[in-house]
Amino acid sequence: MRDVLQNMADYDHEQILFGYDKVSGLKCIIAIHNTTLGPALGGLRIWPYKNEDEALFDVLRLSVGMTYKNAAMGLDFGGAKAVMIHDPNTEKPEELMRAFGRMVESLGGRYYTAEDVGSTLDDLSYVAKETKYVAGLPGTSGNPSPVTGWGVYNAMKATAKRVWGSDELKGKKVAVQGCGNVGFSLIEHLLEEGAVVYATDMFEDKIERAKKAGAIPVEMDKVYDLDVDIFAPCALGAILNDDTIPRLKVKAICGSANNQLLEPRHGKALAARGILYSPDFIVNGGGVINCAEEFAPGGYDKERALKRAAGIYDILLKIFAIADERKIEPYEAANIYAEERIQKALEQKRMFFEK
Ligand code: NAD
């Protein structure tokens, strides 16, 4: 077993809750990384982790990512994540999800949960029977993907502005990996502006849908070798690695997938090849923006969420400016951008008053 407290110290976590329930067999870990900006928001990942170490490693890493993403998107939320050790393709009975809901409730609002890999809106509806600290339920902000897709499209325009001096995507060739919820939404926006879109997916129906919309289908493995302008990873993480980077002919990478770089050094490898990598957690921030809008005064408003997600354009330009100023890469500048916001909030908290 990892030395949990030492791991917390390494990543600077505030709190970790290990949850077990005898009735349902629930095994979960909730990692609250940082609540300087507000209650911690981050989804529930349900995954058949091989052991506790693997689950702990994932939740620690993912929760740090949420702190940075929420901060960079200008949200009044800190970062956290929950993982449940369970195969999401097997039954997820009501008592299991409710047991998780009770764990969330026990944190008294320090953590808001939401949908993530392996958890569905139906699962969250059970969670919500035990706690009000759930975001993204049906009838509230709902499916974030259209807002995420709109954010990725706007991020791509900012990316184009940096590379080509104009944010016009008309005529640009873009390869989209993954035509799922976000990928397809991005494809629609790109085609509407007149971009030439190449699309790949592992499922024929997804490819067919993209083709019908006007995209050019490509085989899954060929996507890395295409002679195009922009690569948009919208499927899996870790796809920017020693095998794929030397094959890329693009000038820029901008997509929704989380953790696209296998390791931080791959960010440097892209820069060395003259490829601009727009940091994933900025590009795909539309999803958390959508969730957070639920808590805005007056409740959720999709138009407002879309408007905010379009603001990712300006956020990215600011990050490029920091990168220039400090002579670092944009993925490093994105961390600084998020950290500075947290630091400012911490300093303002020096002045005490009852809220
Ligand atoms: P999705 O499951 O709807 O779509 C992913 C698609 O990728 C699927 O159609 C799948 O068949 C395809 N795919 C998987 N492996 C592939 C491969 N090797 N090559 C080509 N295609 C492959 O998921 P989504 O909601 O569209 O999310 C896409 C990515 O964006 C994920 O990494 C997700 O974590 C990230 N993301 C999503 C949101 C959101 O709002 N949905 C927000 C932030 C980040």
Side-chain angles (χ1 to χ4, degrees), residues 8-27:
M8 289 177 75
D10 291 348
Y11 288 96
D12 204 7
H13 276 79
E14 287 177 14
Q15 185 179 14
I16 298 192
L17 180 149
F18 288 82
Y20 171 70
D21 172 57
K22 192 173 164 182
V23 176
S24 61
L26 169 79
K27 286 180 181 165

Side-chain angles (χ1 to χ4, degrees), residues 175-178 198-200 218-253 257 260 270 273 275:
V176 180
Q177 180 183 48
Y198 295 82
T200 188
V218 281
E219 281 173 41
M220 247 163 51
D221 191 53
K222 299 267 165 64
V223 75
Y224 302 108
D225 307 309
L226 293 177
D227 198 358
V228 295
D229 301 304
I230 305 172
F231 175 41
C234 297
L236 308 167
I239 40 84
L240 300 172
N241 53 48
D242 292 339
D243 295 332
T244 59
I245 292 172
R247 292 164 61 184
L248 295 171
K249 299 188 179 82
V250 297
K251 282 268 170 282
I253 298 175
Q260 292 168 29
L270 286 169
R273 291 216 48 219
I275 300 172

Side-chain angles (χ1 to χ4, degrees), residues 17-254:
L17 180 149
F18 288 82
Y20 171 70
D21 172 57
K22 192 173 164 182
V23 176
S24 61
L26 169 79
K27 286 180 181 165
C28 71
I29 311 175
I30 301 174
I32 298 181
H33 178 245
N34 189 304
T35 56
T36 304
L37 295 173
L41 172 67
L44 164 65
R45 183 160 294 195
I46 304 182
W47 197 251
Y49 295 102
K50 281 197 236 65
N51 51 48
E52 284 168 34
D53 268 9
E54 204 181 87
L56 181 62
F57 178 70
D58 210 25
V59 78
L60 287 170
R61 200 178 48 96
L62 291 167
S63 52
V64 175
M66 288 311 299
T67 295
Y68 279 81
K69 189 185 296 200
N70 293 341
M73 291 301 114
L75 305 177
D76 293 335
F77 281 98
K81 201 86 178 186
V83 296
M84 187 189 290
I85 305 178
H86 184 84
D87 184 348
N89 297 315
T90 61
E91 204 193 339
K92 288 173 278 180
E94 177 172 354
E95 62 270 22
L96 180 72
M97 301 315 303
R98 290 184 78 142
F100 174 73
R102 294 173 76 83
M103 295 296 161
V104 174
E105 180 66 18
S106 77
L107 289 164
R110 279 175 49 70
Y111 168 60
Y112 279 77
T113 198
E115 203 182 335
D116 193 64
V117 176
S119 61
T120 63
L121 289 183
D122 285 347
D123 299 333
L124 288 184
S125 301
Y126 288 135
V127 174
K129 288 186 174 185
E130 299 291 342
T131 182
K132 62 176 185 291
Y133 305 118
V134 185
L137 290 168
T140 59
S141 64
N143 178 9
S145 304
V147 179
T148 307
W150 177 238
V152 178
Y153 169 69
N154 281 280
M156 199 175 281
K157 289 182 81 63
T159 303
K161 189 167 175 60
R162 179 162 175 95
V163 177
W164 293 283
S166 156
D167 65 14
E168 200 176 81
L169 294 171
K170 188 175 174 196
K172 287 274 175 299
K173 293 182 196 158
V174 185
V176 180
Q177 180 183 48
C179 313
N181 290 316
V182 180
F184 186 68
S185 157
L186 171 66
I187 288 171
E188 287 187 310
H189 294 304
L190 289 172
L191 290 169
E192 199 181 321
E193 196 184 322
V196 180
V197 179
Y198 295 82
T200 188
D201 199 284
M202 53 196 292
F203 292 111
E204 206 43 53
D205 59 328
K206 297 278 167 59
I207 287 282
E208 238 354 90
R209 180 174 66 163
K211 194 173 152 189
K212 259 200 196 132
I216 304 158
V218 281
E219 281 173 41
M220 247 163 51
D221 191 53
K222 299 267 165 64
V223 75
Y224 302 108
D225 307 309
L226 293 177
D227 198 358
V228 295
D229 301 304
I230 305 172
F231 175 41
C234 297
L236 308 167
I239 40 84
L240 300 172
N241 53 48
D242 292 339
D243 295 332
T244 59
I245 292 172
R247 292 164 61 184
L248 295 171
K249 299 188 179 82
V250 297
K251 282 268 170 282
I253 298 175
C254 177

